[in-house]
Amino acid sequence: MKPEENTPEENKPGEIVSLLLKKGLLTEQNAAYAMRVKSKLSSDKTLIDTLKDLKYINGDQIKEVLRTNHLSLRIGDLLVELGYMSRAKLLTALNIQETQQGKRLGKVIVENQFMTESAFMDALSVQLGFPFIDLSIEDVSPKVIENIPIKWCMANNFLPIKQVKGKTLIAFADPFSKTDIQGAKKLFGNNMIIGIAAPNMIEKKLERLCSGNLRPKTIVDENTAIGIVETILGNAIDQGASDIHIEPFEERLQVRYRIDGILVPFKMFPINAATMVAARIKILCKANIAERRRHQDGRMTYEHKGNSLDLRVSIFITVFGEKIVLRILNRINQILELDHMGMQPKMLARFRKDVLNAPSGVMIITGPTGSGKTTTLYSCVSEIASPQISIITAEDPVEYVVEGISQCSIDPKINLTFEETLRHIVRQDPDVIVIGEIRDNYSANVAVHAALTGHKVMTSFHTEDSISGLIRLMNMDIEAFLISSTVVCILAQRLLRKVCPHCPEVYTPSSSDLKLLGYGPDDMKKYTLLKGRGCPVCNHTGYKGRVAVYELLVFNEFIKEAILECRSSYELRKIGLETAGLVTLMEDAVSKVSQGITTLEETFRCIPQLLPPRPIHEINRLLGVS
Ligand SMILES: [Zn+2]
């Protein structure tokens, strides 16, 4: 902003200089000298700038004196003194104000284009030190306005925003209006921080608050960042997405959802929305809003249709700006009963009898990221939860809240580490300990030792299949006899997309697909295979929803012996298949293909092929599929 020329009759100290003199920040001699210097200058420098040039005062001192004394100063004089507008323009503005009774000077100045609104806001916030509140990205905290008469706010042109360190941050249209400040003081006393926001935005928000109930209703209006973010989050939750990707490109902001494990496009927004959207999300997840050059992360709670959801936010800097990924942690109705998880009849019966009903021992669920381990873990926990037993968890983070059990979210930022939590967990007299994930020797040892002392331990692991889970455990510095005497089972799993129920079609597998399975041309003939044609319901993918496929390795005497003898993975797998009734991931998937639940394509996409599957009728017999 360029200072404007001042007329010569102003060669007397203004209000700010008088205040500086009064506060002893400036001497009379220095002020007089600066005035003489200024009168000799041909440029249009203000007295304040001259004082700064002479190093008699600095910008911070000015801000400080204004911040602490602003209630006694007049805004027009300040703008002139700081060089934002000329005395002549101020006089015109004051004349106009007189004819328009009750109108604030700031409004007159902006309306008559003596200054732009942004320059005016800038003057107040940057120069005078009032925090500027951008209401297009900042929301009103419901708590703050809960018991506030909105009509009173309207009458006094202010809007309470949120609590900041025990004080209420309040947006004023004119922070120099004594009546407005007094009006707010009646409600908040001295416990407030005076901020400034665009007057029309304050008005709009107040009207919105007033028209509906007293709680703020976020209007889904795609012209504001709040509206865009609301649209993105609300739709994602409605569509059952697990992740939201917001990516800036050269000319557009792309939003995609991960639904059933696959990214699907949601919407494009103009690229100029990117910064606003990022700022809004940063406010929600308490990240640093000013930081735009470094990766950041955060967490937020989001209310949607009466449900409270937790989201984990990651902000990553790309060449085109900030890419934001939000993970939706506790999705609505995500905890399924074990009966509806897709475990086939005989496997489910065995899992209940040998694993869930066992009084102690370690149960491990294994699979890569996104294979649904956590969902299965929670289903198991909610199946065994009862008032007679105590269940306690250490998770990173808690993804679903289950009623009646004690869950702890690991938070390394505050030094609430896995180690620390596990040390304390055993002293809590639990019957069942849930360890979100075994990721090092320490947690593996805790699991095994807790089982040894009679606890039931449920945990997950990050390996391809059940046998490789076992091998990894054997390589973790745990005595073989400890593993063989404590681990009850390893359950490997994957999620396969289900054929869309709205557009299924019968299909015949190609001979190359059959060859991949080691099957002949007739081996699948008796079964009705289905595939989705693609329709609007399934986003034209042919798939809707997902089903889990499982590989359950229950530790019998033969397996235990093989562990003690440190057998190879090939031998362990063979023993499992021959003696422990093991059905591989591939076999469970092929069985589900034969039932028209999923497709061969999906099977090959997701399942590692280690051994060729046995004939379908044999698999279905082992699984109890009729
Ligand atoms: Zn469909």
Side-chain angles (χ1 to χ4, degrees), residues 499-504 532-544:
V499 174
C500 171
H502 302 275
C503 59
R533 192 174 52 246
C535 70
V537 180
C538 57
N539 280 322
H540 301 280
T541 55
Y543 296 98
K544 185 86 191 156

Side-chain angles (χ1 to χ4, degrees), residues 394-397 410-412 416-419 435-444 459-462 472 476:
E395 304 166 69
D396 184 16
I410 301 303
D411 189 352
L416 186 63
T417 60
F418 237 93
E419 275 195 33
I435 302 172
E437 190 183 340
I438 287 186
R439 40 179 163 186
D440 52 21
N441 291 5
Y442 180 80
S443 42
T459 185
S460 80
F461 215 24
H462 204 291
R472 169 117 183 263
M476 273 185 116

Side-chain angles (χ1 to χ4, degrees), residues 261-552:
I262 303 278
L263 278 172
V264 288
F266 166 59
K267 231 176 187 174
M268 298 284 190
F269 294 94
I271 189 63
N272 54 27
T275 317
M276 284 169 19
V277 167
R280 171 67 183 154
I281 290 172
K282 282 182 198 163
I283 286 181
L284 291 173
C285 75
K286 298 181 184 70
N288 180 355
I289 182 161
E291 179 59 78
R292 299 191 54 208
R293 292 175 308 169
R294 282 173 192 284
H295 312 311
Q296 293 193 70
D297 56 17
R299 300 190 63 156
M300 60 189 260
T301 312
Y302 180 74
E303 297 284 333
H304 182 67
K305 296 185 179 163
N307 290 293
S308 174
L309 294 116
D310 287 324
L311 282 84
R312 196 165 57 195
V313 184
S314 159
I315 301 161
F316 185 84
I317 309 303
T318 72
V319 286
F320 293 122
E322 292 155 294
K323 174 178 173 178
I324 302 172
V325 173
L326 300 105
R327 157 75 45 98
I328 302 170
L329 292 177
N330 46 351
R331 279 169 292 155
I332 305 152
N333 298 331
Q334 277 295 297
I335 300 183
L336 286 175
E337 283 173 34
L338 214 44
D339 298 274
H340 300 121
M341 300 284 291
M343 205 178 267
Q344 312 227 48
K346 272 195 181 166
M347 194 193 277
L348 180 59
R350 182 142 185 245
F351 184 60
R352 283 201 163 115
K353 178 173 150 285
D354 292 347
V355 181
L356 293 181
N357 294 340
S360 67
V362 183
M363 172 194 111
I364 300 170
I365 302 175
T366 188
T369 307
S371 58
K373 306 188 282 282
T374 315
T375 312
T376 305
L377 196 58
Y378 279 102
S379 300
C380 294
V381 171
S382 50
E383 172 142 332
I384 61 169
S386 88
Q388 282 84 44
I389 59 167
S390 153
I391 303 179
I392 194 160
T393 81
E395 304 166 69
D396 184 16
V398 168
E399 294 193 28
Y400 307 89
V401 175
V402 184
E403 224 183 282
I405 74 169
S406 312
Q407 294 172 279
C408 170
S409 237
I410 301 303
D411 189 352
K413 274 188 191 157
I414 57 160
N415 245 334
L416 186 63
T417 60
F418 237 93
E419 275 195 33
E420 177 75 8
T421 306
L422 293 180
R423 235 196 322 276
H424 285 269
I425 241 175
V426 282
R427 300 180 202 149
Q428 282 280 315
D429 183 32
D431 297 291
V432 180
I433 299 171
V434 178
I435 302 172
E437 190 183 340
I438 287 186
R439 40 179 163 186
D440 52 21
N441 291 5
Y442 180 80
S443 42
N445 264 301
V446 169
V448 166
H449 283 97
L452 215 53
T453 50
H455 298 97
K456 194 175 177 68
V457 180
M458 296 177 154
T459 185
S460 80
F461 215 24
H462 204 291
T463 57
E464 284 282 293
D465 66 337
S466 62
I467 302 291
S468 47
L470 175 52
I471 297 288
R472 169 117 183 263
L473 207 55
M474 289 162 73
N475 291 331
M476 273 185 116
D477 248 3
I478 303 170
E479 304 263 12
F481 80 90
L482 282 178
I483 299 173
S484 72
S485 55
T486 57
V487 179
V488 180
C489 85
I490 299 181
L491 179 72
Q493 78 169 84
R494 287 291 190 286
L495 291 176
L496 299 191
R497 287 183 294 163
K498 285 200 283 190
V499 174
C500 171
H502 302 275
C503 59
E505 264 179 357
V506 175
Y507 85 106
T508 319
S510 69
S511 57
S512 61
D513 278 355
L514 290 172
K515 223 179 249 164
L516 271 175
L517 295 171
Y519 288 171
D522 296 335
D523 286 346
M524 279 203 143
K525 258 202 176 133
K526 340 191 329 223
Y527 305 96
T528 313
L529 275 50
L530 298 176
K531 198 179 203 163
R533 192 174 52 246
C535 70
V537 180
C538 57
N539 280 322
H540 301 280
T541 55
Y543 296 98
K544 185 86 191 156
R546 287 191 289 180
V547 65
V549 296
Y550 294 102
E551 176 176 302
L552 175 63

